[in-house]
Amino acid sequence: MKVKIAPSILSADFSCLDREIRKVEAAGADLLHVDIMDGHFVPNITIGPVVVKCIRKVTKLPLDVHLMIENPQNFVDEFIKAGSDMITVHIETIDRQGLEAIKNKFVAGNVKLGVSLNPGTPLEKIKEVLDLADFILVMSVNPGFAGQEFIPGALPKIRELRRIFKGDISVDGGISDKVSGELIKAGATILAAGSYIFKASDVKLAIERMRDAG
Ligand code: DX5
Ligand code: ZN
């Protein structure tokens, strides 16, 4: 499986977001990672569906929308309508029954359903819902902020998940070319990165280095 690189716009300059998005698109990004935070599930607030709708207009890249919010089931309709291609919900915020209840919206909207787990959440929690998920997002930092240090506990989780799950395995948090090789070897197929990509002086090279490190 070709590894997909997903720049996270959390580290972009929001005063010229369209330019920032075009920059990573031209540099070879495969997806655009969009972080949605509610100030409850995580101690930070970002953007909502209104902005996602605007982002949809300025890029052809698939939008990989990461919901770090409580009660995600109340908001998936809006994010699907806004033009998301992939939407991730956290297993800490929704149970199997909740996922079953929203699954049909994803199928109808042709949107991929991702389920994520925090560094402190055991893989067992995800194993119960693997059949409902199109992809799994393994957090390698505690969600809330860009620019944190990679937590290596993500690696054994990815290795174990790779043995039992056929779909994409995404990893998010503290990723640079220094850890991307290990992540790819462990079985990750999508790498989300904010600071490393947006702060790079040569974004194309940064993306190539991440992808080729495996
Ligand atoms: C963290 C977000 C990440 C973050 C990644 O809560 O979900 O997507 O933007 O940023 P870096 O790569 O700087 O850790
Ligand atoms: Zn994210």
Side-chain angles (χ1 to χ4, degrees), residues 6-64:
S8 162
I9 58 161
L10 191 56
S11 299
D13 179 350
F14 272 72
S15 68
C16 50
L17 195 52
D18 55 344
R19 217 187 311 145
E20 290 279 81
I21 291 170
R22 289 196 188 103
K23 177 174 85 179
V24 293
E25 186 167 9
D30 302 286
L31 308 169
L32 196 68
H33 186 88
V34 183
D35 287 309
I36 312 295
M37 303 184 184
D38 68 349
H40 291 277
F41 178 60
V42 289
N44 196 3
I45 296 177
T46 57
I47 57 167
V50 172
V51 181
V52 174
K53 202 172 164 189
C54 294
I55 293 172
R56 178 68 292 162
K57 286 190 210 152
V58 301
T59 182
K60 291 204 167 57
L61 288 176
L63 300 184
D64 167 26

Side-chain angles (χ1 to χ4, degrees), residues 148-204:
Q148 303 182 75
E149 207 175 309
F150 177 79
I151 299 173
L155 282 160
K157 272 186 182 167
I158 296 166
R159 278 186 210 111
E160 193 184 340
L161 196 55
R162 188 69 296 166
R163 284 201 298 272
I164 55 174
F165 183 68
K166 295 262 178 300
D168 274 314
I169 300 177
S170 183
V171 201
D172 183 15
I175 302 177
S176 70
D177 59 338
K178 294 200 171 54
V179 291
S180 57
E182 269 189 285
L183 290 168
I184 295 166
K185 278 190 204 108
T189 52
I190 300 175
L191 305 178
S195 350
Y196 171 71
I197 291 177
F198 278 98
K199 306 281 178 264
S201 51
D202 186 335
V203 174
K204 189 163 189 274

Side-chain angles (χ1 to χ4, degrees), residues 38-203:
D38 68 349
H40 291 277
F41 178 60
V42 289
N44 196 3
I45 296 177
T46 57
I47 57 167
V50 172
V51 181
V52 174
K53 202 172 164 189
C54 294
I55 293 172
R56 178 68 292 162
K57 286 190 210 152
V58 301
T59 182
K60 291 204 167 57
L61 288 176
L63 300 184
D64 167 26
V65 175
H66 179 190
L67 299 186
M68 288 160 278
I69 63 174
E70 277 169 13
N71 301 313
Q73 68 281 359
N74 296 349
F75 298 94
V76 291
D77 282 324
E78 285 302 312
F79 284 103
I80 290 174
K81 235 193 282 165
S84 310
D85 298 278
M86 302 155 69
I87 298 178
T88 299
V89 296
H90 269 257
I91 196 65
E92 298 85 5
T93 65
I94 192 165
D95 58 10
R96 181 172 178 98
Q97 217 183 342
L99 285 169
E100 277 168 352
I102 59 170
K103 180 72 186 175
N104 62 329
K105 297 176 196 278
F106 282 74
V107 175
N110 198 21
V111 175
K112 294 216 176 337
L113 170 60
V115 184
S116 182
L117 76 169
N118 281 345
T121 302
L123 198 57
E124 299 307 314
K125 288 276 281 177
I126 284 282
K127 286 186 184 166
E128 296 158 13
V129 300
L130 285 182
D131 58 313
L132 295 169
D134 295 303
F135 67 101
I136 301 294
L137 172 62
V138 176
M139 287 305 298
S140 44
V141 298
N142 286 302
F145 301 93
Q148 303 182 75
E149 207 175 309
F150 177 79
I151 299 173
L155 282 160
K157 272 186 182 167
I158 296 166
R159 278 186 210 111
E160 193 184 340
L161 196 55
R162 188 69 296 166
R163 284 201 298 272
I164 55 174
F165 183 68
K166 295 262 178 300
D168 274 314
I169 300 177
S170 183
V171 201
D172 183 15
I175 302 177
S176 70
D177 59 338
K178 294 200 171 54
V179 291
S180 57
E182 269 189 285
L183 290 168
I184 295 166
K185 278 190 204 108
T189 52
I190 300 175
L191 305 178
S195 350
Y196 171 71
I197 291 177
F198 278 98
K199 306 281 178 264
S201 51
D202 186 335
V203 174

